[in-house]
Amino acid sequence: PVLEKIEARLQHNADHPDIAPLSTTLSRMQRAQRFKEDLQYFLGPGWEANYKTTEPVQRYLAHLDAVEKEDPALLLVYSFHMHMAICAGGAIIRRMARKAMDLPKGCGTAIFDFQLPDDEYLNTLKSDYRAGINTLGEKRGEEFQGRVLEESGMLFKLNNTVVGDFQAGWFATL
């Protein structure tokens, strides 16, 4: 639900003057639906009916609401880090997962498949994203840049809390 919320709120704020210049890039980077496809592959149809939002995820979603109210452009921090992480290690993770779990091509790794003509296109997309974020930082100035750094730190804390909660739950089932 975190990635889905980030993407939905940025789409909702697509006309915001700081978000609009990145709208084409953001639409090409969207991964939430692909992630849901992976979850359906692993957990089966109807998995969402059994999904319960954990406390760390609820806190994360509430924080995103607060960030959006303060300044919708700060949601770009979350989008940028999440999407660039998927881009950076996606091909490697996809290959490792397919090999380790003997996954059929196109199953269970959709989040990492951008369905682009070639790697150069993905590199251009990432470069455009970085350039757009840098331009925004230059335009908005030092105060905004400071908030970006603060939210970047918060993103990692929130992500670690969600992962830590997942691992505790995962190990408890073994």
Side-chain angles (χ1 to χ4, degrees):
V2 170
L3 187 57
E4 183 176 39
K5 181 163 197 134
I6 294 166
E7 291 178 356
R9 298 321 302 158
L10 283 168
Q11 190 171 18
H12 175 77
N13 289 287
D15 292 335
H16 186 281
D18 293 331
I19 297 171
L22 286 163
S23 63
T24 299
T25 301
L26 291 169
S27 69
R28 291 182 179 146
M29 296 295 264
Q30 290 191 346
R31 302 282 85 205
Q33 184 57 42
R34 305 290 286 171
F35 189 49
K36 282 185 171 185
E37 291 171 23
D38 291 340
L39 290 171
Q40 182 167 327
Y41 175 78
F42 289 113
L43 303 175
W47 68 270
E48 289 178 279
N50 297 320
Y51 174 75
K52 306 249 186 302
T53 304
T54 64
E55 184 63 33
V57 170
Q58 290 173 11
R59 284 193 304 269
Y60 204 139
L61 297 174
H63 182 74
L64 292 172
D65 288 337
V67 166
E68 181 182 16
K69 285 178 186 166
E70 176 190 343
D71 182 352
L74 288 171
L75 291 171
L76 290 166
V77 172
Y78 293 84
S79 172
F80 182 80
H81 283 291
M82 301 283 260
H83 290 123
M84 292 302 265
I86 292 167
C87 288
I92 295 166
I93 295 169
R94 181 179 58 226
R95 280 193 300 275
M96 289 172 52
R98 283 184 183 160
K99 184 176 180 180
M101 294 183 271
D102 197 27
L103 297 172
K105 186 174 180 168
C107 295
T109 57
I111 194 168
F112 303 116
D113 187 359
F114 282 83
Q115 299 177 321
L116 301 173
D118 55 36
D119 287 341
E120 188 56 38
Y121 190 89
L122 181 59
N123 290 336
T124 300
L125 186 60
K126 292 187 304 188
S127 178
D128 290 348
Y129 205 178
R130 272 191 296 275
I133 295 294
N134 288 338
T135 298
L136 175 60
E138 291 167 9
K139 176 183 144 192
R140 293 280 303 267
E142 287 184 22
E143 184 178 333
F144 180 76
Q145 292 168 12
R147 286 294 294 123
V148 166
L149 291 175
E150 289 171 18
E151 287 303 321
S152 295
M154 180 57 74
L155 171 137
F156 287 105
K157 287 178 185 174
L158 291 167
N159 285 348
N160 286 337
T161 301
V162 169
V163 170
D165 186 62
F166 169 76
Q167 290 175 341
W170 172 263
F171 290 123
T173 63
L174 295 178

